[in-house]
């Protein structure tokens, strides 16, 4: 009787050990899968960061270009306004015969 009981307990312990080993193998596989997914996501994040940096540079270049065009336009407008003022002054002087 005692040998049977010990043998049954040993069999149960072995079965439990096999079950736990199978669970551990499943967990290890899950960790490997998650690690691979994480690496892919990190690579995608780096790719997106590169794209974002490129887009930010393009935006900065476009803003700089527009600012320069605006400044040039303002300078041109200033020249036109100066010419118009000068012309108006000449006309007034002619009318007043100064």
């Amino acid at each position: 009787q005692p040998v049977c009981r010990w043998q049954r307990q040993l069999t149960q312990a072995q079965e439990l050990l096999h079950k736990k080993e199978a669970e551990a193998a499943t967990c290890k596989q899950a960790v490997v899968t998650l690690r691979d997914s994480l690496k892919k996501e990190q690579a995608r994040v780096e790719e997106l960061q590169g794209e974002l940096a490129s887009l930010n540079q393009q935006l900065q270049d476009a803003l700089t270009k527009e600012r320069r065009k605006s400044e040039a336009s303002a300078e041109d407008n200033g020249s036109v306004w100066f010419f118009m003022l000068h012309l108006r002054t000449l006309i007034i002087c002619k009318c007043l015969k100064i």
Side-chain angles (χ1 to χ4, degrees):
Q1 290 284 351
V3 172
C4 287
R5 187 171 49 130
W6 288 109
Q7 193 172 16
R8 198 176 330 118
Q9 287 179 341
L10 178 59
T11 302
Q12 288 174 346
Q14 287 173 335
E15 288 173 355
L16 182 61
L17 176 62
H18 292 309
K19 182 180 175 184
K20 295 300 179 185
E21 286 174 339
E23 289 175 3
T26 301
C27 288
K28 286 179 183 178
Q29 185 57 46
V31 167
V32 169
T33 301
L34 288 171
R35 196 173 286 148
D36 289 345
S37 294
L38 179 60
K39 286 179 183 177
K40 288 177 185 174
E41 288 300 316
Q42 287 173 331
R44 181 68 178 136
V45 165
E46 289 175 10
E47 180 183 340
L48 290 172
Q49 286 174 333
E51 289 177 18
L52 181 60
S54 175
L55 289 171
N56 278 334
Q57 186 60 52
Q58 289 176 23
L59 176 60
Q60 191 61 43
D61 293 346
L63 288 172
T64 300
K65 184 178 178 180
E66 285 303 312
R67 188 184 71 236
R68 287 180 181 158
K69 279 168 69 175
S70 177
E71 288 171 355
S73 176
E75 287 174 7
D76 290 345
N77 286 343
S79 297
V80 168
W81 282 110
F82 177 76
F83 175 75
M84 298 282 284
L85 182 62
H86 183 66
L87 185 60
R88 183 176 168 198
T89 305
L90 287 174
I91 291 170
I92 291 171
C93 288
K94 281 276 189 191
C95 288
L96 296 175
K97 298 183 182 188
I98 298 178

